[in-house]
Amino acid sequence: MAIDTLGANALGTGSVTSAKIADGAVVAADVADGSVTTAKLAADAVTAAKLADDSVVTANIVDGNVTSVKTTGVGKPQNLIVNGAMQVSQRTVSETSVNSDRYSACDRFKILNNQAHFTVSQEALSASQDLPVAHGFTKALKLDCTTAQASPGAADRMKIRHSFEGQQMQLLKYGGSSAETLSLQFWVKATKTGVNTINMYQDDATKMISASYTISASNTWEKKTVTFAGNTNDMITNDNTRGLLVEWNLGGGSNRTSGTLRTAWTAYDDADEMPGQVNHADNTANNFHITGIQLEVGSIAGDFDFRDYADVYRHCQRYLYRIQGSIYEFFVNGVRNNTNYLWAPLQLPVPLRTQPSITTAGTSNNCFGIWHGAGGSWSTTHTTMGVYGNPDMLDGSVQQLGLALNGISTGFSAGECVTLAFSGAGKFMNCDADL
């Protein structure tokens, strides 16, 4: 007689193994609801391959089960830093004897220095030598100490600064209980090892917060991450002026190193900028390199937000529009008025942040050339170039520049149309609206 039922008591413990169950013998209908619990699943037993498409829906996830740690790499973080991969360098790729406050190589990164002399350059990284290349970074900002200052004056300081418009930082929600924490990550290499400090400064509140990191090995690329708490007390003004900045300190005098590192937002004090900071300019053998800079909302740093080069370049042009060329390379049309001026409306590729200052190669009176007249004549007689009457947009930015070339030649008449070009090789015009 066939046995129709085999009771559980007739089976010895462990007698029914997975090898004795035919594939497909146990179907979902044979499994009582709730009988398969977490405790009955071996660690890692449920793999992605065993989950049907769309089987895990929001309703199946208990509140709080998906934490930030479990979402690493999901989505793309927004990098608040512009040109953090050091791709764009409009002004120069290398400048020697930098001993003042100015933008040099690598757009949006300002050198503040009254202590030593550096050669500042956009460095090309080598795949055979430089670890950041394996992570997608082929350029870096490099500072090479060429005139050392081992004993800086009390007020001396050396820094690299990146500034933000206030209207770009409203997502931080500063001034309220929801103020966002920020994570700052970057790759750094330096000859000098030891403690380094980073400051964040909020202009509207004249407050600062700081962090420190340690360079452990000489001339070795290291990745660093620091965090900054949000400022719950002070709002960032929503306009195109500077609302926030971050600075990497390279050295300073006693006025800047004698205080205490700030780990919370408090009133700014010079003495608290660089406590414990090493001096990257105490020897001409010293170099400092940095790249892969990302500032993002949150306490955990994500993967670097690589952006299209053209997008980064256009963003940099909001702060600096540079035109350069050689003789007869024309860039704008204009007209002579009835005085000593040539007027030319220059349309910008992106709006400049604000009314710019104009600098040219050498002096203005040897930079430009003018093509004029029915038969075509070339004149380089002029004195200065300025900008006048530029129409502002609602946010204070500028879409078009009214170029005015002063002291032009009397060889052509009022009302005559002209074309403006550069007068020779290596000429340029910078329209600078940086913070």
Side-chain angles (χ1 to χ4, degrees):
M1 180 175 67
I3 299 175
D4 296 324
T5 304
L6 186 62
N9 292 334
L11 298 174
T13 301
S15 61
V16 180
T17 64
S18 58
K20 296 176 181 177
I21 301 174
D23 291 343
V26 179
V27 296
D30 297 332
V31 181
D33 289 345
S35 61
V36 179
T37 63
T38 303
K40 295 175 181 176
L41 295 174
D44 301 322
V46 180
T47 63
K50 295 174 183 175
L51 296 175
D53 291 345
D54 302 320
S55 61
V56 179
V57 296
T58 303
N60 294 339
I61 301 173
V62 176
D63 290 346
N65 272 7
V66 179
T67 63
S68 58
V69 173
K70 297 172 183 174
T71 59
T72 300
V74 177
K76 261 182 126 38
Q78 179 183 2
N79 189 1
L80 302 175
I81 296 283
V82 176
N83 200 30
M86 307 301 172
Q87 298 165 282
V88 179
S89 195
Q90 292 188 81
R91 293 173 177 86
T92 181
V93 295
S94 184
E95 184 179 13
T96 60
S97 297
V98 175
N99 181 235
S100 62
D101 298 352
R102 63 180 183 269
Y103 285 94
S104 185
C106 299
D107 282 36
R108 305 291 2 268
F109 290 91
K110 189 173 186 177
I111 308 301
L112 289 87
N113 174 34
N114 64 350
Q115 181 173 330
H117 288 77
F118 291 93
T119 293
V120 180
S121 62
Q122 182 193 46
E123 178 185 20
L125 300 183
S126 167
S128 62
Q129 298 175 352
D130 294 307
L131 182 60
V133 174
H135 297 269
F137 305 107
T138 59
K139 302 287 185 183
L141 175 62
K142 177 182 177 180
L143 279 73
D144 176 6
C145 181
T146 54
T147 302
Q149 176 54 279
S151 301
D156 286 353
R157 81 284 190 272
M158 302 178 297
K159 307 177 181 183
I160 300 170
R161 173 187 289 176
H162 189 96
S163 300
F164 306 91
E165 293 179 53
Q167 63 192 3
Q168 294 174 330
M169 307 304 281
Q170 298 306 303
L171 79 169
L172 301 186
K173 310 183 193 75
Y174 278 19
S177 60
S178 299
E180 299 280 7
T181 297
L182 288 171
S183 295
L184 177 67
Q185 61 174 297
F186 53 95
W187 286 89
V188 64
K189 180 173 77 170
T191 307
K192 187 86 173 181
T193 60
V195 173
N196 291 264
T197 55
I198 300 175
N199 300 323
M200 187 169 285
Y201 177 79
Q202 186 176 336
D203 289 70
D204 305 306
T206 61
K207 287 186 177 179
M208 65 182 288
I209 188 172
S210 303
S212 66
Y213 66 97
T214 300
I215 294 177
S216 303
S218 178
N219 295 320
T220 303
W221 281 105
E222 300 172 6
K223 186 178 181 181
K224 305 297 179 182
T225 303
V226 298
T227 58
F228 299 95
N231 183 353
T232 58
N233 294 315
D234 307 286
M235 295 177 62
I236 299 174
T237 302
N238 188 12
D239 61 18
N240 67 342
T241 63
R242 193 178 72 189
L244 199 68
L245 62 83
V246 60
E247 295 177 333
W248 291 259
N249 296 315
L250 304 181
S254 58
N255 288 1
R256 314 233 175 215
T257 60
S258 58
T260 303
L261 189 75
R262 305 284 187 87
T263 56
W265 285 98
T266 46
Y268 172 81
D269 192 313
D270 285 356
D272 296 329
E273 281 191 349
M274 310 181 190
Q277 172 69 45
V278 300
N279 181 5
H280 287 282
D282 64 358
N283 193 299
T284 56
N286 290 355
N287 296 319
F288 185 92
H289 319 244
I290 191 167
T291 191
I293 301 174
Q294 178 153 295
L295 182 68
E296 61 191 282
V297 170
S299 58
I300 298 175
D303 296 334
F304 188 84
D305 181 15
F306 284 99
R307 300 180 185 177
D308 180 73
Y309 175 84
D311 180 49
V312 177
Y313 193 88
R314 283 191 297 270
H315 205 149
C316 289
Q317 285 184 313
R318 175 168 176 79
Y319 304 96
L320 176 75
Y321 179 51
R322 179 185 175 96
I323 309 172
Q324 62 186 44
S326 296
I327 192 168
Y328 304 138
E329 292 184 353
F330 303 100
F331 62 90
V332 68
N333 295 323
V335 62
R336 181 184 176 181
N337 70 355
N338 58 3
T339 59
N340 205 26
Y341 285 95
L342 183 157
W343 297 92
L346 177 66
Q347 195 71 19
L348 299 168
V350 299
L352 282 165
R353 180 187 65 87
T354 190
Q355 300 284 349
S357 59
I358 301 293
T359 57
T360 60
T363 58
S364 180
N365 63 6
N366 66 10
C367 187
F368 303 103
I370 305 161
W371 191 262
H372 62 92
S377 298
W378 178 250
S379 172
T380 58
T381 302
H382 59 278
T383 53
T384 59
M385 170 68 81
V387 289
Y388 299 96
N390 302 317
D392 288 346
M393 300 174 74
L394 286 176
D395 67 348
S397 59
V398 179
Q399 181 67 66
Q400 178 178 282
L401 298 182
L403 299 181
L405 198 62
N406 189 21
I408 61 175
S409 169
T410 57
F412 54 101
S413 58
E416 187 173 340
C417 292
V418 301
T419 300
L420 194 62
F422 292 101
S423 62
K427 304 298 183 180
F428 68 85
M429 179 176 68
N430 285 347
C431 306
D432 195 332
D434 227 318
L435 290 159

